[in-house]
Amino acid sequence: MIVGIGSDLIDIRRIERTLERHGARFTARVFTEIEQRKSDRRRERAASYAKRFAAKEACAKALGTGLSHGVFWRDMGVVNLPSGAPTMRLTGGALERLRMIVPAGMEPRIHLTITDDHPLAQAFVVIEAV
């Protein structure tokens, strides 16, 4: 059963300008340590951060809260499954909200797809209860 769907599209140049202007202050506020390590290793650093930013926005929409009601940027992090497929790891208010929208006796699965084609990055999130 699908309990949430979210999507987001962002201009990579916007993230690039934000990185130039605010640097570590921006990345520390918005991204998990895992996301920062992964993105900072990438040749296309801004695109990597943009995809993760879009994933967080899409996840917040799928949760039905946006970035409010106790859901914060760092409560949502892009991680990879052993297969390499991306998914979201939720903590704090995002995890609490996830538990609220998944019916009792069911387990949540978060499906994520992220892509970029300069100058755009895009993410889709589907939250499923199984």
Side-chain angles (χ1 to χ4, degrees):
M1 156 197 313
I2 293 174
V3 295
I5 299 173
S7 68
D8 193 63
L9 180 69
I10 188 165
D11 190 321
I12 295 167
R13 296 168 295 192
R14 177 178 159 213
I15 296 298
E16 197 167 43
R17 286 189 302 270
T18 304
L19 286 167
E20 288 169 2
R21 189 172 194 186
H22 301 289
R25 200 169 77 221
F26 168 65
T27 57
R29 179 176 167 254
V30 175
F31 300 97
T32 66
E33 303 245 343
I34 292 169
E35 291 174 311
Q36 291 175 57
R37 281 195 305 272
K38 192 162 203 151
S39 293
D40 287 340
R41 287 194 317 252
R42 300 280 192 240
R43 188 171 58 91
E44 298 294 331
R45 182 174 178 250
S48 181
Y49 274 117
K51 287 187 285 191
R52 284 160 177 72
F53 190 92
K56 291 167 184 284
E57 288 275 7
C59 187
K61 292 171 185 173
L63 289 169
T65 60
L67 288 156
S68 64
H69 303 287
V71 175
F72 300 100
W73 290 110
R74 290 177 52 99
D75 290 347
M76 301 169 285
V78 176
V79 296
N80 294 90
L81 297 171
S83 67
T87 189
M88 301 296 295
R89 178 179 297 149
L90 305 185
T91 61
L95 182 57
E96 286 179 37
R97 176 65 183 170
L98 179 65
R99 289 178 178 146
M100 288 173 55
I101 65 173
V102 173
M106 300 185 95
E107 294 290 321
R109 287 203 185 133
I110 302 175
H111 305 277
L112 168 65
T113 183
I114 52 178
T115 190
D116 69 282
D117 187 7
H118 201 277
L120 300 174
Q122 184 175 40
F124 290 95
V125 170
V126 175
I127 300 174
E128 178 183 24
V130 293

